[in-house]
């Protein structure tokens, strides 16, 4: 669009001092999976890719690191970072989405615009620490500790029950309220009792011969506690970007 401004001066029938101003491009982005929530445009990155920005403007952004893998104890949930207003200028931004760790492996970091959401720690000797630093629970004899969550610590293993994973955070940035960064539950060695349970994307622990569950991809949940011969995987992280686009 071209805007022409006249200075209201006319000499000998000729307009003088005509200034042309080219309007700035409207703020918009492309990249990732695009959805809409009313007047808001949403970009979801389930895997690493570029975000292309035209113009400049403010966005809300959620970043979650990958969940920790698990053996005996539950894996830690990925760290979660949320900004209600992040200014983006025109250019290309690489969105790195952290994978979940597998078995004896920590979750991987999620990175955007030089900001890092840390991956959760593996659940081995004790429940894995979350990416935000909350400790996992302690395992005891036949009962594993739960992995730490983004907002709370994991629970210790008990005499007749595996420790539950620590809570993550529930956020609505995609149009639905979803829990992210929960810890995985610890396993219990014998049947007839109860495993530890994951929350906010964290996997459940193994009970006897019944396998536990992986962390949920896209939430950064920690893996449920298991055994050395059947390692479990933490959930993959995610990046979600949202902005007003009527």
């Amino acid at each position: 669009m071209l805007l022409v401004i006249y200075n209201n001066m006319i000499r000998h029938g000729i307009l003088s001092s005509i200034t042309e101003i080219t309007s700035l491009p409207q703020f918009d982005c492309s990249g990732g999976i695009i959805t809409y929530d009313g007047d808001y445009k949403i970009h979801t990155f389930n895997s690493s890719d570029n975000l292309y920005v035209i113009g400049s403007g403010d966005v809300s952004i959620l970043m979650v690191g990958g969940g920790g893998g698990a053996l005996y104890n539950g894996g830690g949930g990925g760290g979660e970072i949320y900004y209600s207003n992040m200014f983006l200028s025109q250019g290309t931004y690489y969105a790195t989405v952290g994978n979940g760790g597998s078995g004896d492996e920590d979750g991987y970091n999620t990175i955007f615009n030089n900001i890092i959401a840390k991956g959760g720690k593996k659940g081995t000797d004790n429940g894995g620490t979350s990416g935000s630093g909350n400790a996992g629970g302690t395992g005891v004899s036949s009962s594993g500790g739960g992995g730490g969550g983004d907002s709370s610590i994991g629970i210790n293993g008990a005499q007749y029950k595996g420790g539950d994973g620590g809570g993550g955070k529930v956020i609505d940035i995609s149009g639905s309220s979803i829990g992210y960064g929960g810890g995985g539950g610890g396993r219990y060695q014998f049947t007839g009792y109860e495993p530890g349970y994951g929350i906010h994307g964290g996997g459940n622990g193994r009970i006897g011969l019944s396998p536990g569950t992986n962390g949920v991809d896209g939430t950064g949940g920690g893996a449920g506690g298991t055994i050395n011969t059947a390692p479990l995987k933490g959930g993959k992280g995610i990046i979600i970007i949202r902005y007003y686009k009527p």
Side-chain angles (χ1 to χ4, degrees):
M1 182 176 69
L2 186 67
L3 177 64
V4 181
I5 299 177
Y6 303 92
N7 71 347
N8 294 323
M9 294 178 62
I10 301 179
R11 295 177 181 174
H12 306 292
I14 300 175
L15 290 171
S16 66
S17 186
I18 299 176
T19 304
E20 295 182 353
I21 301 175
T22 303
S23 63
L24 295 175
Q26 290 187 340
F27 177 66
D28 199 6
C29 303
S30 62
I33 299 171
I34 297 174
T35 56
Y36 293 88
D37 179 24
D39 288 335
Y40 289 86
K41 188 175 181 180
I42 299 165
H43 300 257
T44 300
F45 291 87
N46 295 308
S47 59
S48 300
D49 202 352
N50 287 319
L51 177 76
Y52 302 97
V53 178
I54 299 171
S56 60
D58 291 319
V59 302
S60 299
I61 180 168
L62 171 68
M63 303 168 53
V64 184
L71 294 177
Y72 185 63
N73 298 278
E80 174 270 331
I81 295 176
Y82 175 74
Y83 288 94
S84 59
N85 284 287
M86 176 187 286
F87 180 79
L88 298 180
S89 56
Q90 182 162 306
T92 301
Y93 297 78
Y94 191 67
T96 301
V97 177
N99 287 317
S102 181
D104 188 17
E105 190 178 49
D106 296 337
Y108 292 82
N109 296 339
T110 289
I111 306 170
F112 183 83
N113 200 19
N114 297 318
I115 298 168
I116 299 174
K118 294 182 178 180
K121 299 297 184 181
K122 59 192 175 186
T124 50
D125 296 333
N126 291 304
T129 301
S130 72
S132 61
N134 287 316
T138 302
V140 294
S141 60
S142 56
S143 177
D150 184 68
S151 63
S152 63
I153 62 174
I155 304 301
N156 294 335
Q159 186 175 3
Y160 300 116
K161 185 183 183 308
D164 292 334
K169 292 179 182 174
V170 177
I171 297 174
D172 181 1
I173 187 174
S174 63
S176 300
S177 295
I178 298 174
Y180 301 93
R187 79 169 179 121
Y188 198 87
Q189 186 174 356
F190 305 109
T191 57
Y193 296 97
E194 196 173 1
Y197 297 105
I199 186 173
H200 300 150
N204 296 328
R206 182 185 181 100
I207 179 72
L209 298 176
S210 299
T213 57
N214 296 318
V216 178
D217 284 341
T219 69
T226 181
I227 56 176
N228 292 348
T229 56
L232 292 174
K233 187 176 182 296
K236 200 170 186 178
I238 197 168
I239 296 174
I240 302 176
I241 295 169
R242 173 187 176 106
Y243 52 93
Y244 185 65
K245 187 68 176 174

mmCIF file of all heavy atoms in Angstrom, residues 31-67:
data_model
loop_
_atom_site.group_PDB
_atom_site.id
_atom_site.type_symbol
_atom_site.label_atom_id
_atom_site.label_comp_id
_atom_site.label_asym_id
_atom_site.label_seq_id
_atom_site.Cartn_x
_atom_site.Cartn_y
_atom_site.Cartn_z
ATOM 1 N N GLY A 31 5.205 -21.003 9.842
ATOM 2 C CA GLY A 31 6.031 -22.067 10.382
ATOM 3 C C GLY A 31 5.301 -22.849 11.451
ATOM 4 O O GLY A 31 4.418 -22.323 12.128
ATOM 5 N N GLY A 32 5.645 -24.121 11.591
ATOM 6 C CA GLY A 32 4.966 -24.988 12.547
ATOM 7 C C GLY A 32 3.572 -25.364 12.077
ATOM 8 O O GLY A 32 3.191 -25.133 10.922
ATOM 9 N N ILE A 33 2.804 -25.944 12.978
ATOM 10 C CA ILE A 33 1.405 -26.282 12.700
ATOM 11 C C ILE A 33 0.542 -25.086 13.091
ATOM 12 O O ILE A 33 0.570 -24.645 14.240
ATOM 13 C CB ILE A 33 0.974 -27.532 13.488
ATOM 14 C CG1 ILE A 33 1.832 -28.735 13.071
ATOM 15 C CG2 ILE A 33 -0.506 -27.840 13.263
ATOM 16 C CD1 ILE A 33 1.632 -29.945 13.946
ATOM 17 N N ILE A 34 -0.210 -24.551 12.148
ATOM 18 C CA ILE A 34 -0.978 -23.326 12.380
ATOM 19 C C ILE A 34 -2.438 -23.666 12.663
ATOM 20 O O ILE A 34 -3.082 -24.398 11.900
ATOM 21 C CB ILE A 34 -0.867 -22.385 11.168
ATOM 22 C CG1 ILE A 34 0.583 -21.946 10.980
ATOM 23 C CG2 ILE A 34 -1.778 -21.164 11.351
ATOM 24 C CD1 ILE A 34 0.824 -21.130 9.733
ATOM 25 N N THR A 35 -2.953 -23.130 13.763
ATOM 26 C CA THR A 35 -4.362 -23.241 14.121
ATOM 27 C C THR A 35 -4.848 -21.872 14.583
ATOM 28 O O THR A 35 -4.055 -20.931 14.728
ATOM 29 C CB THR A 35 -4.583 -24.286 15.239
ATOM 30 O OG1 THR A 35 -3.763 -23.937 16.381
ATOM 31 C CG2 THR A 35 -4.209 -25.689 14.769
ATOM 32 N N TYR A 36 -6.167 -21.776 14.836
ATOM 33 C CA TYR A 36 -6.740 -20.506 15.265
ATOM 34 C C TYR A 36 -7.640 -20.727 16.478
ATOM 35 O O TYR A 36 -8.314 -21.761 16.594
ATOM 36 C CB TYR A 36 -7.541 -19.862 14.137
ATOM 37 C CG TYR A 36 -6.674 -19.413 12.982
ATOM 38 C CD1 TYR A 36 -6.366 -20.304 11.942
ATOM 39 C CD2 TYR A 36 -6.155 -18.134 12.936
ATOM 40 C CE1 TYR A 36 -5.553 -19.911 10.883
ATOM 41 C CE2 TYR A 36 -5.342 -17.727 11.875
ATOM 42 C CZ TYR A 36 -5.053 -18.618 10.860
ATOM 43 O OH TYR A 36 -4.247 -18.226 9.825
ATOM 44 N N ASP A 37 -7.623 -19.758 17.372
ATOM 45 C CA ASP A 37 -8.511 -19.746 18.533
ATOM 46 C C ASP A 37 -9.180 -18.375 18.563
ATOM 47 O O ASP A 37 -8.643 -17.421 19.116
ATOM 48 C CB ASP A 37 -7.713 -20.005 19.815
ATOM 49 C CG ASP A 37 -8.574 -19.993 21.070
ATOM 50 O OD1 ASP A 37 -9.792 -20.231 20.956
ATOM 51 O OD2 ASP A 37 -8.033 -19.749 22.167
ATOM 52 N N GLY A 38 -10.338 -18.284 17.928
ATOM 53 C CA GLY A 38 -10.982 -16.984 17.790
ATOM 54 C C GLY A 38 -10.121 -16.061 16.947
ATOM 55 O O GLY A 38 -9.764 -16.384 15.811
ATOM 56 N N ASP A 39 -9.773 -14.892 17.501
ATOM 57 C CA ASP A 39 -8.958 -13.915 16.783
ATOM 58 C C ASP A 39 -7.463 -14.123 17.001
ATOM 59 O O ASP A 39 -6.657 -13.214 16.715
ATOM 60 C CB ASP A 39 -9.338 -12.493 17.226
ATOM 61 C CG ASP A 39 -10.692 -12.063 16.689
ATOM 62 O OD1 ASP A 39 -11.109 -12.604 15.654
ATOM 63 O OD2 ASP A 39 -11.320 -11.193 17.321
ATOM 64 N N TYR A 40 -7.073 -15.280 17.499
ATOM 65 C CA TYR A 40 -5.664 -15.544 17.776
ATOM 66 C C TYR A 40 -5.126 -16.633 16.851
ATOM 67 O O TYR A 40 -5.782 -17.646 16.610
ATOM 68 C CB TYR A 40 -5.469 -15.957 19.238
ATOM 69 C CG TYR A 40 -5.665 -14.814 20.199
ATOM 70 C CD1 TYR A 40 -6.930 -14.492 20.665
ATOM 71 C CD2 TYR A 40 -4.590 -14.027 20.602
ATOM 72 C CE1 TYR A 40 -7.130 -13.423 21.528
ATOM 73 C CE2 TYR A 40 -4.772 -12.961 21.468
ATOM 74 C CZ TYR A 40 -6.039 -12.665 21.920
ATOM 75 O OH TYR A 40 -6.223 -11.613 22.769
ATOM 76 N N LYS A 41 -3.938 -16.371 16.344
ATOM 77 C CA LYS A 41 -3.238 -17.343 15.496
ATOM 78 C C LYS A 41 -2.206 -18.070 16.342
ATOM 79 O O LYS A 41 -1.500 -17.452 17.152
ATOM 80 C CB LYS A 41 -2.561 -16.615 14.332
ATOM 81 C CG LYS A 41 -1.958 -17.539 13.273
ATOM 82 C CD LYS A 41 -1.415 -16.710 12.098
ATOM 83 C CE LYS A 41 -0.825 -17.588 11.008
ATOM 84 N NZ LYS A 41 -0.295 -16.776 9.872
ATOM 85 N N ILE A 42 -2.103 -19.381 16.154
ATOM 86 C CA ILE A 42 -1.262 -20.221 16.995
ATOM 87 C C ILE A 42 -0.328 -21.046 16.122
ATOM 88 O O ILE A 42 -0.750 -21.662 15.148
ATOM 89 C CB ILE A 42 -2.130 -21.155 17.870
ATOM 90 C CG1 ILE A 42 -3.034 -20.321 18.777
ATOM 91 C CG2 ILE A 42 -1.259 -22.096 18.706
ATOM 92 C CD1 ILE A 42 -4.167 -21.116 19.397
ATOM 93 N N HIS A 43 0.945 -21.061 16.488
ATOM 94 C CA HIS A 43 1.952 -21.882 15.818
ATOM 95 C C HIS A 43 2.461 -22.911 16.820
ATOM 96 O O HIS A 43 3.014 -22.546 17.868
ATOM 97 C CB HIS A 43 3.124 -21.031 15.327
ATOM 98 C CG HIS A 43 2.740 -19.967 14.351
ATOM 99 N ND1 HIS A 43 2.960 -20.072 13.002
ATOM 100 C CD2 HIS A 43 2.129 -18.759 14.544
ATOM 101 C CE1 HIS A 43 2.521 -18.977 12.393
ATOM 102 N NE2 HIS A 43 2.002 -18.164 13.315
ATOM 103 N N THR A 44 2.299 -24.188 16.509
ATOM 104 C CA THR A 44 2.747 -25.264 17.392
ATOM 105 C C THR A 44 3.908 -25.998 16.744
ATOM 106 O O THR A 44 3.812 -26.467 15.605
ATOM 107 C CB THR A 44 1.601 -26.253 17.671
ATOM 108 O OG1 THR A 44 0.523 -25.544 18.300
ATOM 109 C CG2 THR A 44 2.064 -27.367 18.587
ATOM 110 N N PHE A 45 4.993 -26.102 17.498
ATOM 111 C CA PHE A 45 6.181 -26.822 17.024
ATOM 112 C C PHE A 45 6.335 -28.094 17.856
ATOM 113 O O PHE A 45 6.718 -28.049 19.023
ATOM 114 C CB PHE A 45 7.423 -25.946 17.156
ATOM 115 C CG PHE A 45 7.444 -24.774 16.224
ATOM 116 C CD1 PHE A 45 6.842 -23.577 16.591
ATOM 117 C CD2 PHE A 45 8.044 -24.865 14.979
ATOM 118 C CE1 PHE A 45 6.846 -22.486 15.732
ATOM 119 C CE2 PHE A 45 8.057 -23.781 14.110
ATOM 120 C CZ PHE A 45 7.452 -22.598 14.484
ATOM 121 N N ASN A 46 6.021 -29.234 17.230
ATOM 122 C CA ASN A 46 6.233 -30.536 17.854
ATOM 123 C C ASN A 46 7.611 -31.097 17.524
ATOM 124 O O ASN A 46 8.024 -32.107 18.115
ATOM 125 C CB ASN A 46 5.157 -31.526 17.398
ATOM 126 C CG ASN A 46 3.777 -31.122 17.881
ATOM 127 O OD1 ASN A 46 3.571 -30.874 19.059
ATOM 128 N ND2 ASN A 46 2.821 -31.052 16.962
ATOM 129 N N SER A 47 8.273 -30.485 16.575
ATOM 130 C CA SER A 47 9.639 -30.844 16.213
ATOM 131 C C SER A 47 10.355 -29.571 15.794
ATOM 132 O O SER A 47 9.732 -28.532 15.538
ATOM 133 C CB SER A 47 9.651 -31.886 15.085
ATOM 134 O OG SER A 47 8.976 -31.390 13.941
ATOM 135 N N SER A 48 11.656 -29.628 15.710
ATOM 136 C CA SER A 48 12.458 -28.438 15.423
ATOM 137 C C SER A 48 12.215 -27.933 14.004
ATOM 138 O O SER A 48 12.167 -28.719 13.057
ATOM 139 C CB SER A 48 13.935 -28.758 15.623
ATOM 140 O OG SER A 48 14.200 -29.164 16.954
ATOM 141 N N ASP A 49 12.084 -26.604 13.882
ATOM 142 C CA ASP A 49 11.821 -25.998 12.571
ATOM 143 C C ASP A 49 11.983 -24.485 12.702
ATOM 144 O O ASP A 49 12.188 -23.956 13.799
ATOM 145 C CB ASP A 49 10.413 -26.351 12.096
ATOM 146 C CG ASP A 49 10.245 -26.233 10.585
ATOM 147 O OD1 ASP A 49 11.174 -25.741 9.927
ATOM 148 O OD2 ASP A 49 9.179 -26.627 10.076
ATOM 149 N N ASN A 50 11.857 -23.783 11.568
ATOM 150 C CA ASN A 50 11.971 -22.323 11.558
ATOM 151 C C ASN A 50 10.626 -21.645 11.786
ATOM 152 O O ASN A 50 9.584 -22.127 11.319
ATOM 153 C CB ASN A 50 12.526 -21.842 10.221
ATOM 154 C CG ASN A 50 14.004 -22.126 10.063
ATOM 155 O OD1 ASN A 50 14.784 -21.970 11.002
ATOM 156 N ND2 ASN A 50 14.409 -22.552 8.875
ATOM 157 N N LEU A 51 10.655 -20.508 12.481
ATOM 158 C CA LEU A 51 9.537 -19.570 12.524
ATOM 159 C C LEU A 51 9.959 -18.351 11.720
ATOM 160 O O LEU A 51 11.004 -17.746 11.993
ATOM 161 C CB LEU A 51 9.200 -19.160 13.956
ATOM 162 C CG LEU A 51 8.081 -18.111 14.072
ATOM 163 C CD1 LEU A 51 6.726 -18.766 13.829
ATOM 164 C CD2 LEU A 51 8.102 -17.424 15.439
ATOM 165 N N TYR A 52 9.152 -17.988 10.709
ATOM 166 C CA TYR A 52 9.447 -16.836 9.861
ATOM 167 C C TYR A 52 8.533 -15.675 10.282
ATOM 168 O O TYR A 52 7.312 -15.812 10.287
ATOM 169 C CB TYR A 52 9.210 -17.182 8.396
ATOM 170 C CG TYR A 52 10.042 -18.354 7.917
ATOM 171 C CD1 TYR A 52 9.506 -19.634 7.876
ATOM 172 C CD2 TYR A 52 11.370 -18.177 7.511
ATOM 173 C CE1 TYR A 52 10.267 -20.709 7.434
ATOM 174 C CE2 TYR A 52 12.135 -19.251 7.075
ATOM 175 C CZ TYR A 52 11.580 -20.516 7.037
ATOM 176 O OH TYR A 52 12.329 -21.571 6.613
ATOM 177 N N VAL A 53 9.149 -14.544 10.605
ATOM 178 C CA VAL A 53 8.410 -13.392 11.124
ATOM 179 C C VAL A 53 8.456 -12.254 10.115
ATOM 180 O O VAL A 53 9.526 -11.862 9.641
ATOM 181 C CB VAL A 53 9.004 -12.928 12.472
ATOM 182 C CG1 VAL A 53 8.263 -11.696 12.984
ATOM 183 C CG2 VAL A 53 8.935 -14.054 13.497
ATOM 184 N N ILE A 54 7.276 -11.713 9.784
ATOM 185 C CA ILE A 54 7.138 -10.533 8.931
ATOM 186 C C ILE A 54 6.699 -9.374 9.813
ATOM 187 O O ILE A 54 5.753 -9.502 10.593
ATOM 188 C CB ILE A 54 6.109 -10.780 7.817
ATOM 189 C CG1 ILE A 54 6.547 -11.943 6.930
ATOM 190 C CG2 ILE A 54 5.902 -9.517 6.986
ATOM 191 C CD1 ILE A 54 5.497 -12.379 5.943
ATOM 192 N N GLY A 55 7.357 -8.238 9.674
ATOM 193 C CA GLY A 55 7.041 -7.112 10.545
ATOM 194 C C GLY A 55 7.579 -7.374 11.940
ATOM 195 O O GLY A 55 8.546 -8.102 12.137
ATOM 196 N N SER A 56 6.953 -6.780 12.940
ATOM 197 C CA SER A 56 7.360 -6.992 14.327
ATOM 198 C C SER A 56 6.129 -6.873 15.227
ATOM 199 O O SER A 56 5.172 -6.176 14.892
ATOM 200 C CB SER A 56 8.431 -5.987 14.751
ATOM 201 O OG SER A 56 7.943 -4.658 14.630
ATOM 202 N N GLY A 57 6.177 -7.576 16.355
ATOM 203 C CA GLY A 57 5.040 -7.554 17.259
ATOM 204 C C GLY A 57 5.267 -8.432 18.471
ATOM 205 O O GLY A 57 6.308 -9.092 18.611
ATOM 206 N N ASP A 58 4.292 -8.440 19.359
ATOM 207 C CA ASP A 58 4.358 -9.204 20.604
ATOM 208 C C ASP A 58 3.618 -10.529 20.458
ATOM 209 O O ASP A 58 2.555 -10.600 19.835
ATOM 210 C CB ASP A 58 3.726 -8.417 21.757
ATOM 211 C CG ASP A 58 4.561 -7.205 22.149
ATOM 212 O OD1 ASP A 58 5.796 -7.342 22.195
ATOM 213 O OD2 ASP A 58 3.984 -6.134 22.391
ATOM 214 N N VAL A 59 4.187 -11.569 21.069
ATOM 215 C CA VAL A 59 3.559 -12.884 21.080
ATOM 216 C C VAL A 59 3.576 -13.429 22.502
ATOM 217 O O VAL A 59 4.373 -13.018 23.350
ATOM 218 C CB VAL A 59 4.303 -13.878 20.150
ATOM 219 C CG1 VAL A 59 4.344 -13.360 18.727
ATOM 220 C CG2 VAL A 59 5.710 -14.181 20.663
ATOM 221 N N SER A 60 2.680 -14.371 22.768
ATOM 222 C CA SER A 60 2.784 -15.227 23.949
ATOM 223 C C SER A 60 3.484 -16.498 23.513
ATOM 224 O O SER A 60 3.273 -16.985 22.397
ATOM 225 C CB SER A 60 1.399 -15.560 24.514
ATOM 226 O OG SER A 60 0.715 -14.394 24.919
ATOM 227 N N ILE A 61 4.305 -17.058 24.381
ATOM 228 C CA ILE A 61 5.049 -18.254 24.004
ATOM 229 C C ILE A 61 5.190 -19.204 25.187
ATOM 230 O O ILE A 61 5.435 -18.779 26.317
ATOM 231 C CB ILE A 61 6.444 -17.900 23.431
ATOM 232 C CG1 ILE A 61 7.209 -19.163 23.027
ATOM 233 C CG2 ILE A 61 7.241 -17.049 24.396
ATOM 234 C CD1 ILE A 61 8.463 -18.884 22.205
ATOM 235 N N LEU A 62 5.014 -20.480 24.902
ATOM 236 C CA LEU A 62 5.251 -21.556 25.861
ATOM 237 C C LEU A 62 6.369 -22.436 25.324
ATOM 238 O O LEU A 62 6.337 -22.858 24.163
ATOM 239 C CB LEU A 62 3.993 -22.396 26.053
ATOM 240 C CG LEU A 62 4.172 -23.683 26.874
ATOM 241 C CD1 LEU A 62 4.475 -23.352 28.337
ATOM 242 C CD2 LEU A 62 2.949 -24.579 26.763
ATOM 243 N N MET A 63 7.345 -22.735 26.175
ATOM 244 C CA MET A 63 8.444 -23.633 25.833
ATOM 245 C C MET A 63 8.550 -24.704 26.917
ATOM 246 O O MET A 63 8.548 -24.374 28.107
ATOM 247 C CB MET A 63 9.771 -22.870 25.762
ATOM 248 C CG MET A 63 9.777 -21.712 24.789
ATOM 249 S SD MET A 63 11.225 -20.639 24.992
ATOM 250 C CE MET A 63 12.567 -21.811 24.890
ATOM 251 N N VAL A 64 8.642 -25.964 26.504
ATOM 252 C CA VAL A 64 8.766 -27.070 27.460
ATOM 253 C C VAL A 64 9.898 -27.982 27.001
ATOM 254 O O VAL A 64 9.951 -28.388 25.838
ATOM 255 C CB VAL A 64 7.462 -27.883 27.562
ATOM 256 C CG1 VAL A 64 7.598 -28.967 28.640
ATOM 257 C CG2 VAL A 64 6.279 -26.975 27.892
ATOM 258 N N GLY A 65 10.817 -28.297 27.921
ATOM 259 C CA GLY A 65 11.900 -29.216 27.609
ATOM 260 C C GLY A 65 11.421 -30.654 27.581
ATOM 261 O O GLY A 65 10.315 -30.988 28.024
ATOM 262 N N GLY A 66 12.238 -31.541 27.039
ATOM 263 C CA GLY A 66 11.904 -32.956 26.979
ATOM 264 C C GLY A 66 11.939 -33.602 28.354
ATOM 265 O O GLY A 66 12.729 -33.225 29.224
ATOM 266 N N GLY A 67 11.077 -34.595 28.576
ATOM 267 C CA GLY A 67 11.032 -35.293 29.852
ATOM 268 C C GLY A 67 12.167 -36.294 29.987
ATOM 269 O O GLY A 67 12.686 -36.829 29.000
#
